[in-house]
Amino acid sequence: MLLAGSGLVYSCRPDADTTAPEIKSVTVDGMESDSHTILAGEIMQVVLDLHDNENLKQVKVNVHAADDGHTHGSGSGAVGQPNVGSWSYSKIIDIAGQHATADLNLTVPLDIAGEWHLEVMAIDASGNEAVEKVVNLQVINAELPVISVVTTPASADNPILLPISNPTFTLNAYVMDASGIDSLFLQATTEAGELVFSQALDAGDLTEFYSGNVDITFPAVGLYDVEVRALDVNGYENFWMREVEVQ
Amino acid sequence: MKKILGLCCTIWWGQLLAQTTDTLKVLESDSLHPLEHLIISEGWIGITDRKSSLDIVHVGQVDWRANRALNFAQTLSYLPGVSAQSTGVGIARPVIRGMSGQRIVVVERNIKQEGQQWGSDHGLEMDMFTIEGVEVIKGAAGLMYGGDAIGGAIRILAPKWSTGKQELRLALQGSNNNQERGVFASFQKKWKGSKSGSISRLMISSSNKKSSDYRLPANAFTYLNRTLPLKDGVLNNTATNEQALLGLWEMVNGQRALQHLLFQYRWFNQNSGLFPGFVGIPTLASVSSDGDAGNIGWPMAHVEHQKWMGQATWKLGSGIHELEGAIQDNKRQEMSVPHQGAFVLETASRAALMLRLRDIQLRYAWKNLQLRRANVEWGASAQQQRNTRDGFEFLIPKYKKETVGAWSLWSCPTKQNKGQWNGGLRWDYFHYKTPGFVRTIQLNNEDYQWEPVRPTNKAFQGFSGSLGQSISTSNQWHWKWHLGRTFRVPQASELFINGVHHGTYRHEMGDAQLSAEKGWQWDGMAIRTSEDWVLKCSPFVQYYSSYIYLSPQAEFSILPDGGQVYAYVQHPVIMGGGECSLDMHLLPQLHTDCSVEYIANYNVSTTLPLPFTPPFQVKWGSTYQGKWSENWEWNCQFQVRYVAAQNRVDRNEKITHDYALIHGGVSVEYQSPNEKWSCFWSLNARNLTNTKYLNNLSNYRALQLPEQGRWVQLGMEIRWNDRQK
């Protein structure tokens, strides 16, 4: 009985469509690549090419920040400089047939810079899900102030290590912006967000501005975020950020 | 065999030598059937009931303690046909013949444990230390407990009675993987009535358990298509702490009309960190360790469950009347930061989900009615549930559920008194009412009016029934068969859920138009006994015309952090399979058993298998019991489990590869010469070969996260009583 019952069930072989659709290509501004450099404020044209053995149903396009170092199955996973500004986008498009293309025009926000992911997912009419495709978007923003910072101690490591016997960190910021710099803001916070240092500098609408040496002395052992923010006269803001660990 | 049965009876009966036979009979009533009808005692495979046509396995204190794992479901998974659906280390739900969650009920003194059990990441809110044994009913137990028990039931047996007038019990437990450490203490005092022959007891117990972040043999995981690293395999913020209380008073009296009276209170409180990688859109920063493995940060879940229960049994004429009532209050709060979701934060609170379920149950049964040769039971039950919600996320709405049921069960001996017929009929009525839910969410920086659930007022009613036979054709052969017509009403989550469920990592959507799940179940059992071995085979075949399950849809979630929608749908489904076990005593001290189990199912609509189907399994275990002296006993055991690959999977479900696990353990028990105190030490190790494997039933499989590697658990238990030898 056991064998008969199991055999009856086991012999019922699937004849349903279990073949997943395929995202053949994702082109950005006419180019098919894993990574694209785009400009803030531009209208980005995205074209998706999709195939299925029977009938496509939906495609979902999603844009999300990638500055935290996450990957989608491959890549280094390294954390880079934090993004300037935020940009998120989500859209579901109905499609049909064995072959479909979808065109989108995405407006890149004016006030952002950094790294984002363009994620494309697709399903067919039976509910089979395609292997997603992800494209890196490097957003360049020429309008943002450019910040260069020299630190003492100088270190390429993140976090920068300081001994508790000498918990002072010195930074010197140079900011450049063609339209004029409004102000510079420097701050240090603990991991919990508690402010341990803060200083605002008026840049007087200059196109180049030096902060001079600014000393930050940390009160105790711990991990701190040090941030330099520069605001230009048009309201565009850029920032520089490092972690400092006092041991 | 007689020795084993004798030992079993001694454990139960020896506690109360001073009581009358009538009182003893009442005490036995916690089990479904009196022990005199048990036919076999199997160290690993429990005790099987001779009379019932259902497949009921009794797991006593010895087996329960010897196989204790990190959670309730894992402890049971050594039984053939029982598996554990797990979410990490501490949370798991029992799976009986491929059915779990809303098709399995956990019952304590005929009262169903009611919490937010729709979530497969929600554990059982009950103190493991207070469980000293269970009865597992495989197959439909709906006639006794309603349609929720379509897949089976697990009855928590009452804590054992003290062997003396007073008893103290202290237990300590620890394991290495997540630095779990638990302590439990209980006190029991017993009184004998002066003339009435009654016996009463008061028992109080308390436990406290803590654990740190746990480790997995993995260095990355994938959620919402994002792959993030796990440093040293540590799941950050998965620490838990748990406290529980139990207080009970009960009285038994076999000579008076009021035979049994009980009041019980349980409190369970648990705080558990939720791995940030599974809540909202995961970021690298959120999954990185905060350097403290023992703390509970954001996001986290707080669960508090309180249960007040009363039970009375009295005799009137030849009939026995049972009345049970219970109130349960279950609070579940999930706290997180709404930083990247679609929900607008309405208050400064970080409460993402606040669910409160208040449940009232009342049950009456009139048993032992003799109608000609038949023994008949009549019963009725009522239940009301009120669920409220709050928080900035949404999964299930506020709702009210009312249930009324009535049943009749009967049994009568076969003509030559070689067996027994069992049968019954049950009628149930259910009513759901929800005001629905509307919420403003943000999509692409614009407000969007989202109505995940519409106001609904819906009622169901229907009959279920069964007929079965249990018969001995000789001293060696025993047979059982059971045919049941099942009727299960959709649970609130199946009707109303709509949102990204972080516990299962997907957008789940209910359907208020679902109808009742109806089906036919046939279970059989053949038992061949010999002096030294028992062979048991239990096949089953089931057909459901409207089986409810979560199915992937051709639709994406409109929520930014949601992928494909999984909706509750109804399809005709066929299931079949069974278990075969061989239990041997080749030496008096050596016990060995081997079992195989297999389940296959077929969705007639999709022509595909159902998701989360347990694969073919072979379990083999041996235990050797030795004695150093009259006072020292020891036990050594090992278990090998082979789980085959599961290639029969539902749409978009990934296959799992085969694996083999080896578990082992030793225990030592000392009993003082005057039998006043005893001490029990145990060392259990699981997955000794540190095998990295994906469990087909685990929620972590979707994230490509393996189950835990090798872990070791240490336990110690001291019992003291003032028994006079």
Side-chain angles (χ1 to χ4, degrees):
Chain A
M1 185 65 79
L2 167 66
L3 292 174
S6 301
L8 173 73
V9 173
Y10 195 82
S11 64
C12 300
R13 288 291 183 188
D15 56 12
D17 169 29
T18 53
T19 305
E22 192 180 355
I23 304 165
K24 287 280 186 189
S25 67
V26 178
T27 60
V28 175
D29 294 336
M31 303 237 325
E32 186 183 345
S33 171
D34 291 339
S35 187
H36 295 269
T37 301
I38 54 174
L39 297 174
E42 80 163 62
I43 295 173
M44 184 177 85
Q45 190 186 28
V46 178
V47 179
L48 313 172
D49 185 20
L50 305 114
H51 285 255
D52 185 55
N53 64 323
E54 289 195 352
N55 196 7
L56 292 156
K57 184 70 193 297
Q58 279 188 342
V59 60
K60 185 170 184 176
V61 181
N62 174 280
V63 177
H64 58 265
D67 56 338
D68 69 330
H70 79 258
T71 67
H72 291 256
S74 61
S76 68
V79 183
Q81 179 73 5
N83 285 349
V84 175
S86 64
W87 179 28
S88 63
Y89 177 84
S90 177
K91 185 167 187 178
I92 298 166
I93 304 163
D94 288 329
I95 50 178
Q98 290 182 310
H99 174 222
T101 57
D103 295 345
L104 294 105
N105 290 322
L106 305 186
T107 304
V108 185
L110 278 167
D111 55 351
I112 66 165
E115 192 177 347
W116 273 262
H117 283 163
L118 172 69
E119 183 182 13
V120 181
M121 298 172 275
I123 43 179
D124 68 12
S126 300
N128 298 304
E129 190 173 23
V131 175
E132 63 158 5
K133 267 206 186 318
V134 177
V135 172
N136 292 318
L137 301 175
Q138 190 69 42
V139 181
I140 304 292
N141 194 333
E143 298 294 327
L144 298 181
V146 177
I147 305 172
S148 302
V149 177
V150 177
T151 66
T152 307
S155 174
D157 295 335
N158 195 27
I160 296 170
L161 301 178
L162 287 181
I164 187 64
S165 56
N166 182 21
T168 301
F169 175 77
T170 305
L171 63 81
N172 191 325
Y174 165 69
V175 183
M176 189 174 64
D177 190 290
S179 57
I181 306 155
D182 176 78
S183 56
L184 209 62
F185 183 72
L186 302 95
Q187 73 169 30
T189 54
T190 65
E191 262 195 305
E194 189 184 339
L195 199 64
V196 295
F197 176 85
S198 160
Q199 186 176 355
L201 301 171
D202 184 358
D205 298 350
L206 295 171
T207 55
E208 289 183 80
F209 180 74
Y210 291 90
S211 68
N213 282 344
V214 177
D215 292 336
I216 303 172
T217 302
F218 298 99
V221 170
L223 194 64
Y224 299 88
D225 285 332
V226 177
E227 198 174 311
V228 177
R229 288 186 172 274
L231 183 71
D232 74 7
V233 293
N234 294 323
Y236 291 114
E237 187 181 59
N238 200 354
F239 71 95
W240 172 95
M241 194 175 178
R242 291 296 286 275
E243 284 183 331
V244 175
E245 186 172 0
V246 181
Q247 296 178 320
Chain B
M1 193 61 58
K2 284 177 185 172
K3 265 187 188 174
I4 304 163
L5 180 58
L7 173 70
C8 172
C9 293
T10 305
I11 291 167
W12 278 71
W13 293 0
Q15 310 163 26
L16 293 161
L17 292 174
Q19 277 72 61
T20 64
T21 308
D22 288 341
T23 304
L24 283 170
K25 281 180 181 170
V26 179
L27 277 170
E28 289 166 13
S29 63
D30 186 56
S31 179
L32 274 178
H33 299 275
L35 285 171
E36 64 198 79
H37 304 303
L38 304 177
I39 58 165
I40 48 174
S41 169
E42 306 163 351
W44 288 78
I45 308 183
I47 302 170
T48 303
D49 186 332
R50 179 186 287 271
K51 276 198 165 181
S52 171
S53 58
L54 282 169
D55 188 354
I56 302 172
V57 180
H58 178 104
V59 182
Q61 187 197 25
V62 175
D63 291 340
W64 182 261
R65 195 167 61 174
N67 290 283
R68 181 175 285 172
L70 279 177
N71 55 57
F72 180 78
Q74 275 184 4
T75 304
L76 283 176
S77 63
Y78 75 93
L79 294 170
V82 182
S83 309
Q85 182 177 32
S86 58
T87 307
V89 173
I91 297 170
R93 306 196 309 172
V95 179
I96 301 176
R97 289 177 170 169
M99 291 193 181
S100 63
Q102 315 195 72
R103 293 184 177 87
I104 303 287
V105 297
V106 176
V107 178
E108 184 181 23
R109 297 184 188 270
N110 290 324
I111 296 294
K112 289 187 283 183
Q113 178 83 5
E114 292 286 5
Q116 304 288 355
Q117 61 256 58
W118 49 268
S120 57
D121 58 319
H122 304 170
L124 184 70
E125 292 105 353
M126 194 173 282
D127 182 10
M128 272 280 287
F129 283 110
T130 58
I131 300 173
E132 296 185 31
V134 296
E135 272 179 350
V136 179
I137 304 171
K138 298 183 202 170
L143 281 187
M144 286 176 277
Y145 304 116
D148 301 355
I150 197 171
I154 296 169
R155 289 170 50 88
I156 308 290
L157 298 181
K160 284 181 65 180
W161 281 70
S162 158
T163 49
K165 286 182 180 173
Q166 299 179 83
E167 185 183 78
L168 272 171
R169 186 179 157 217
L170 175 71
L172 300 170
Q173 184 179 297
S175 66
N176 67 336
N177 181 292
N178 56 346
Q179 290 85 51
E180 186 199 55
R181 55 271 183 205
V183 58
F184 167 82
S186 76
F187 173 72
Q188 201 176 137
K189 186 167 174 57
K190 199 169 73 178
W191 297 273
K192 270 169 62 181
S194 55
K195 292 178 183 174
S196 61
S198 70
I199 176 170
S200 317
R201 70 163 164 172
L202 177 71
M203 181 179 171
I204 50 171
S205 75
S206 173
S207 70
N208 192 6
K209 207 159 76 172
K210 282 189 175 182
S211 64
S212 303
D213 296 345
Y214 61 89
R215 294 163 190 274
L216 298 171
N219 52 24
F221 75 102
T222 301
Y223 178 47
L224 293 176
N225 296 322
R226 292 159 171 79
T227 304
L228 292 148
L230 290 176
K231 194 180 177 191
D232 301 326
V234 174
L235 283 187
N236 179 37
N237 196 41
T238 50
T240 62
N241 66 60
E242 185 180 303
Q243 300 81 38
L245 283 175
L246 167 70
L248 80 87
W249 174 87
E250 78 181 307
M251 180 277 296
V252 290
N253 189 335
Q255 296 176 342
R256 291 202 168 170
L258 182 62
Q259 293 191 322
H260 182 217
L261 190 62
L262 170 133
F263 297 100
Q264 181 178 302
Y265 170 72
R266 274 187 187 274
W267 174 74
F268 178 89
N269 188 65
Q270 186 187 57
N271 290 301
S272 53
L274 302 173
F275 180 53
F278 307 155
V279 179
I281 297 172
T283 65
L284 194 65
S286 65
V287 302
S288 301
S289 172
D290 57 2
D292 185 351
N295 67 343
I296 297 175
W298 305 98
M300 59 90 70
H302 172 241
V303 177
E304 185 183 6
H305 188 93
Q306 293 188 84
K307 181 159 69 174
W308 296 265
M309 193 190 298
Q311 185 180 41
T313 307
W314 68 94
K315 199 173 176 182
L316 207 63
S318 63
I320 292 175
H321 302 257
E322 280 182 2
L323 181 66
E324 287 118 3
I327 298 174
Q328 295 178 74
D329 187 358
N330 184 285
K331 294 176 193 163
R332 182 178 181 85
Q333 299 181 353
E334 293 183 8
M335 320 291 278
S336 68
V337 184
H339 51 103
Q340 294 193 63
F343 299 100
V344 179
L345 191 60
E346 291 174 335
T347 68
S349 167
R350 286 182 167 187
L353 267 185
M354 294 177 74
L355 302 173
R356 184 173 186 185
L357 182 73
R358 277 164 283 197
D359 177 273
I360 300 174
Q361 292 178 51
L362 201 61
R363 184 180 188 275
Y364 166 75
W366 185 6
K367 292 181 171 178
N368 210 30
L369 275 167
Q370 294 297 326
L371 294 178
R372 295 189 178 178
R373 298 181 69 210
N375 186 300
V376 180
E377 172 186 327
W378 296 93
S381 64
Q383 185 176 11
Q384 186 188 64
Q385 290 187 342
R386 285 171 186 269
N387 185 71
T388 56
R389 66 151 305 280
D390 203 350
F392 60 83
E393 286 192 349
F394 177 81
L395 269 182
I396 57 171
K398 176 182 174 182
Y399 69 85
K400 194 163 94 173
K401 177 185 174 186
E402 281 143 353
T403 309
V404 179
W407 68 89
S408 172
L409 304 175
W410 59 266
S411 60
C412 75
T414 54
K415 279 186 179 174
Q416 291 85 25
N417 274 332
K418 287 185 173 177
Q420 185 166 275
W421 287 93
N422 300 113
L425 194 65
R426 182 181 177 108
W427 170 82
D428 282 298
Y429 170 83
F430 293 77
H431 178 243
Y432 281 103
K433 190 175 183 182
T434 175
F437 187 75
V438 181
R439 160 65 59 87
T440 302
I441 61 171
Q442 285 204 321
L443 293 178
N444 297 328
N445 299 320
E446 291 177 4
D447 284 351
Y448 175 81
Q449 281 295 106
W450 185 47
E451 187 179 18
V453 180
R454 293 189 174 155
T456 305
N457 195 347
K458 190 166 177 133
F460 301 85
Q461 64 94 22
F463 285 92
S464 53
S466 75
L467 181 67
Q469 193 181 24
S470 178
I471 188 164
S472 295
T473 52
S474 69
N475 286 337
Q476 286 81 38
W477 282 99
H478 190 85
W479 306 85
K480 289 184 178 195
W481 63 268
H482 187 88
L483 179 67
R485 171 67 171 165
T486 62
F487 172 82
R488 185 180 80 88
V489 163
Q491 294 294 306
S493 61
E494 292 166 328
L495 295 169
F496 307 130
I497 195 170
N498 197 347
V500 176
H501 183 197
H502 301 300
T504 51
Y505 328 116
R506 57 194 179 193
H507 186 134
E508 294 180 358
M509 190 182 285
D511 180 0
Q513 304 308 314
L514 291 176
S515 60
E517 183 178 280
K518 294 175 185 169
W520 291 95
Q521 295 185 341
W522 180 87
D523 301 85
M525 184 187 284
I527 303 174
R528 170 78 166 86
T529 56
S530 175
E531 189 67 26
D532 300 317
W533 54 268
V534 178
L535 176 68
K536 190 164 88 172
C537 286
S538 315
F540 67 90
V541 178
Q542 301 168 357
Y543 171 74
Y544 299 94
S545 55
S546 48
Y547 191 83
I548 301 170
Y549 76 107
L550 266 175
S551 169
Q553 300 299 293
E555 180 187 354
F556 278 115
S557 166
I558 62 162
L559 304 175
D561 56 344
Q564 187 175 17
V565 168
Y566 279 72
Y568 282 103
V569 296
Q570 283 187 298
H571 289 154
V573 163
I574 306 167
M575 295 186 192
E579 306 96 38
C580 275
S581 61
L582 178 63
D583 194 57
M584 294 172 288
H585 279 90
L586 300 175
L587 297 169
Q589 297 90 354
L590 180 66
H591 173 90
T592 300
D593 64 72
C594 181
S595 70
V596 293
E597 56 191 80
Y598 180 66
I599 296 167
N601 51 47
Y602 179 74
N603 184 327
V604 177
S605 284
T606 65
T607 70
L608 295 169
L610 291 171
F612 291 106
T613 301
F616 172 79
Q617 289 187 56
V618 180
K619 298 171 185 172
W620 172 43
S622 280
T623 181
Y624 189 90
Q625 290 174 311
K627 256 188 172 186
W628 285 319
S629 70
E630 277 300 305
N631 305 109
W632 287 93
E633 285 187 10
W634 60 276
N635 174 302
C636 179
Q637 57 171 287
F638 78 92
Q639 191 183 21
V640 180
R641 181 180 300 184
Y642 170 75
V643 181
Q646 182 54 285
N647 297 308
R648 291 177 51 79
V649 290
D650 192 16
R651 193 185 306 284
N652 296 335
E653 191 184 24
K654 288 185 176 143
I655 63 166
T656 48
H657 300 292
D658 64 333
Y659 56 89
L661 301 174
I662 301 175
H663 308 316
V666 289
S667 66
V668 177
E669 185 162 21
Y670 172 77
Q671 178 91 40
S672 69
N674 59 8
E675 296 181 17
K676 281 198 170 185
W677 67 278
S678 65
C679 191
F680 177 83
W681 296 267
S682 66
L683 172 69
N684 281 313
R686 294 177 84 88
N687 193 3
L688 279 165
T689 52
N690 205 27
T691 302
K692 184 177 175 180
Y693 66 100
L694 293 177
N695 179 357
N696 177 268
L697 298 179
S698 170
N699 286 309
Y700 279 1
R701 177 169 62 108
L703 312 173
Q704 294 298 295
L705 275 178
E707 299 302 297
Q708 53 183 328
R710 183 189 307 118
W711 64 266
V712 177
Q713 188 181 53
L714 271 168
M716 186 181 80
E717 187 176 311
I718 299 169
R719 280 179 189 261
W720 171 88
N721 69 74
D722 63 350
R723 177 181 180 181
Q724 300 299 314
K725 200 176 177 185

